[in-house]
Amino acid sequence: MKIHVEEGAGSDGQAAAVELAAGEAALVLHPKQIIAFQGRSGSREDRLLNVAGVYRKKRWIESRLTGPARFVLGVPTGYSFRAMELPEDNSLLFDIRYVLLYSEGMKLQSRFQKIKQAVVTQDWIRMKFSGGGTLGLLSCGPLCELTIDPSEPVYVDIGCLVAYPEEAKLQLCVYGNPLASQRMNYHWEITGSGKVLLQPSRPRFGLADPLQGDSLFKRILREALPFGGVIIK
């Protein structure tokens, strides 16, 4: 899989051009962001996820695209796209809401958060991608990598943490003097080895979390009916 990102001017957004060779396949978790496609019509297959898939991936449908084919993903204004090559022994745990696409063949493993973490984040699981492959991420602004240390903690705004190593230790906290602690969002105190991925601002989940805001019945009709996303508002 080859990915080339076209940068917009100013705040015009981005476009990511993806090329799949014969035998390659990619899964896109935000199908509406596919703005152009070149290949056999049958090379794109959208499928409705089962209950377990909806819970894990925070999506109702996903698109499977097979090569040889090329397609373009539109990245909305305010978001950034980054492609990462993950090793077979990847230990990062991702918030699935930031995943735009990934290579077919990668193994997704659910990792349940501790109760204290889940209460704050309103999400019970993080996803681990193993087996090696390409992962495409959306974020509110360009992603930043920060190395963590086993003894000297790093403090990260809970709304800006995209991924962290599975072995890292997270504790909810604020820091600084009393005035500082009163004027900040809750942070994770993180210790361990490896790197964490951060975004510079908190997300606007209109794109990243489509499971919010509608009734279950309306969401099912929108996905099941032809042109339901256009007809049913």
Side-chain angles (χ1 to χ4, degrees), residues 19-99:
E19 183 175 350
L20 297 173
E24 291 184 324
L27 297 170
V28 179
L29 296 184
H30 295 269
K32 289 185 178 180
Q33 301 311 124
I34 302 173
I35 61 173
F37 174 82
Q38 184 179 34
R40 296 183 302 104
S41 177
S43 295
R44 173 174 172 172
E45 177 189 2
D46 286 18
R47 50 195 182 188
L48 189 66
L49 297 175
N50 57 26
V51 174
V54 170
Y55 181 74
R56 295 172 69 202
K57 299 182 179 181
K58 301 292 189 294
R59 304 296 305 175
W60 286 99
I61 60 173
E62 67 179 4
S63 291
R64 180 177 183 267
L65 298 103
T66 57
R70 295 187 295 174
F71 60 96
V72 178
L73 297 168
V75 181
T77 301
Y79 287 87
S80 295
F81 176 84
R82 177 172 172 180
M84 299 181 61
E85 291 296 326
L86 296 183
E88 292 189 8
D89 58 349
N90 164 64
S91 67
L92 288 174
L93 301 183
F94 289 88
D95 187 330
I96 194 66
R97 292 174 292 187
Y98 301 114
V99 177

